[in-house]
Amino acid sequence: MKWIRLGAGWPWKRQSAPVMALGLYRGTQEWRLLQLVRGREGGLRVHAAGVLAVRDAADEGRPGAEPEGLRLRAWMGDCGVVASTVVAGLPRSALRLWRMQVPAGLDAEDMEHMALLDAQGRHGLSGEAWCVDFGVLGPAARMDEGVELLVAAAPRAEVEGWQQGLHSAGLPLQMLEVAAHAAKAAVLRAWRCQAGEGTGCHCIVLWEEEVATLLWMLDGVLLEEQGLEVRETPELAAGFAHHCRVRGVELQQIWLAVDVPMAEAGLLRLYEALRQGIGMACRDEAEPAVQWLQPWCGMAFGDAGVHERLLAQASGWWTVCGLALRGVDAWSC
């Protein structure tokens, strides 16, 4: 099995025939599945989406228990799913994630070798028990420090379990990807569709389970990614204000994207926290507006029922959508 690389420099080519990709994400409680289709005209269409509850491992051996592979195959048959590319993401509880810096100018093989050495030497993760992957985040904070990588390690037993279940479902697994990095791909695609040219400085705030990721965009290009751990909502206001002051750049727009299901009151608290952070940073200057980022902007839907279901549960689908995007649209990175 070959793990897909996460670099952002891939060329985007419109295919002459429709391309299908199935995104799979297995959380602690459920599988989320979403199939995207790129048509001959180049547009993206959501063909199918669904959720399956995760079975306890002990249930697999009980009489009459349906194996995960058969359940996945049944879901595919019910939805008419034909997957030419399957991109899967492990739950975060099964991953070890960290960042590291490497010299600029290295090829992918050298970067992979350095990531393996770092996993073994600094984190004590042996190659016999752990699979290691990496993605290129971009230049390090200081240009003379080279390139920053996101490194992920998963137990081989966990990866092999995925392969067995998906193989028994008849799914042609080609890529296994870091789920924590996939949501960013979906966010950037949606932002480009909604913001258009996106001139000037924009900040996309991606909220994921008490973690806010700040994506700083300038004239449509991702300049920097910053993470904020937020235990209470007021911390978002203070952290966001600090980063705005440090950058010292006049913002044109702030976009809020939420990747976890939240009640309306929780969404309102996030919105107000950002507004408060803007006020703390801008003071007497004109304050940019906060706008919601729509997950399915620019996408068509093959079935009205799927459209309604995803609109009702719009948050919580960023990751699985980002995984599927890897199979049909590398430009979305």
Side-chain angles (χ1 to χ4, degrees):
M1 179 185 63
K2 185 67 175 176
W3 286 32
I4 189 171
R5 299 304 173 209
L6 306 180
W10 305 339
W12 175 68
K13 296 181 180 179
R14 182 171 297 178
Q15 303 292 326
S16 57
V19 177
M20 294 187 176
L22 183 65
L24 299 175
Y25 176 71
R26 195 206 69 196
T28 56
Q29 301 295 326
E30 63 189 15
W31 291 75
R32 286 179 179 261
L33 314 98
L34 186 146
Q35 182 171 46
L36 290 180
V37 179
R38 176 171 288 286
R40 291 183 175 86
E41 75 289 353
L44 282 174
R45 179 167 59 91
V46 180
H47 174 71
V51 174
L52 292 175
V54 171
R55 293 285 181 84
D56 189 278
D59 292 337
E60 290 292 324
R62 294 178 181 173
E66 188 178 20
E68 293 284 11
L70 293 180
R71 296 174 64 230
L72 288 171
R73 187 185 301 175
W75 178 83
M76 292 174 63
D78 291 342
C79 297
V81 169
V82 180
S84 58
T85 300
V86 179
V87 188
L90 292 169
R92 295 184 185 181
S93 59
L95 292 171
R96 294 275 297 275
L97 295 172
W98 67 91
R99 299 188 182 202
M100 63 175 291
Q101 294 176 357
V102 299
L106 298 180
D107 58 24
E109 186 174 343
D110 290 335
M111 288 183 182
E112 183 173 14
H113 180 66
M114 293 192 70
L116 288 170
L117 291 178
D118 190 61
Q120 295 172 5
R122 192 156 62 98
H123 299 274
L125 307 178
S126 67
E128 292 77 14
W130 293 79
C131 292
V132 177
D133 189 25
F134 75 94
V136 179
L137 293 178
R142 292 178 52 186
M143 296 301 293
D144 58 346
E145 292 179 350
V147 176
E148 188 173 29
L149 305 182
L150 172 69
V151 183
R156 287 192 178 276
E158 183 77 30
V159 174
E160 290 168 357
W162 266 83
Q163 288 180 289
Q164 292 171 2
L166 296 177
H167 179 73
S168 65
L171 294 176
L173 180 64
Q174 298 178 9
M175 295 172 279
L176 185 70
E177 187 176 24
V178 181
H181 202 60
K184 188 178 77 171
V187 167
L188 293 180
R189 186 215 62 85
W191 179 80
R192 290 181 177 118
C193 290
Q194 194 170 339
E197 295 296 327
T199 57
C201 183
H202 294 234
C203 183
I204 304 172
V205 181
L206 173 61
W207 178 266
E208 305 171 276
E209 297 180 359
E210 299 184 341
V211 175
T213 302
L214 309 182
L215 304 175
W216 297 92
M217 314 294 297
L218 181 61
D219 296 336
V221 177
L222 177 61
L223 291 182
E224 189 177 356
E225 175 184 347
Q226 297 171 322
L228 292 175
E229 291 188 8
V230 183
R231 289 166 295 183
E232 297 181 1
T233 307
E235 294 182 11
L236 176 61
F240 182 71
H242 169 73
H243 284 290
C244 286
R245 287 194 295 264
V246 169
R247 295 191 67 85
V249 178
E250 182 179 353
L251 281 172
Q252 301 296 317
Q253 194 82 40
I254 297 165
W255 304 79
L256 178 58
V258 179
D259 187 38
V260 289
M262 294 185 68
E264 185 175 352
L267 296 174
L268 182 60
R269 283 195 297 270
L270 285 179
Y271 181 86
E272 292 301 329
L274 278 180
R275 291 294 308 272
Q276 182 183 355
I278 296 168
M280 294 164 59
C282 296
R283 299 187 184 279
D284 297 330
E285 301 175 8
E287 298 181 4
V290 179
Q291 187 166 338
W292 294 101
L293 199 56
Q294 304 301 326
W296 314 112
C297 181
M299 285 189 183
F301 290 84
D303 181 81
V306 172
H307 187 195
E308 293 174 1
R309 183 162 62 251
L310 290 182
L311 285 179
Q313 303 175 344
S315 61
W317 281 93
W318 285 107
T319 295
V320 70
C321 180
L323 289 168
L325 281 170
R326 296 293 187 184
V328 299
D329 190 4
W331 171 80
S332 66
C333 306

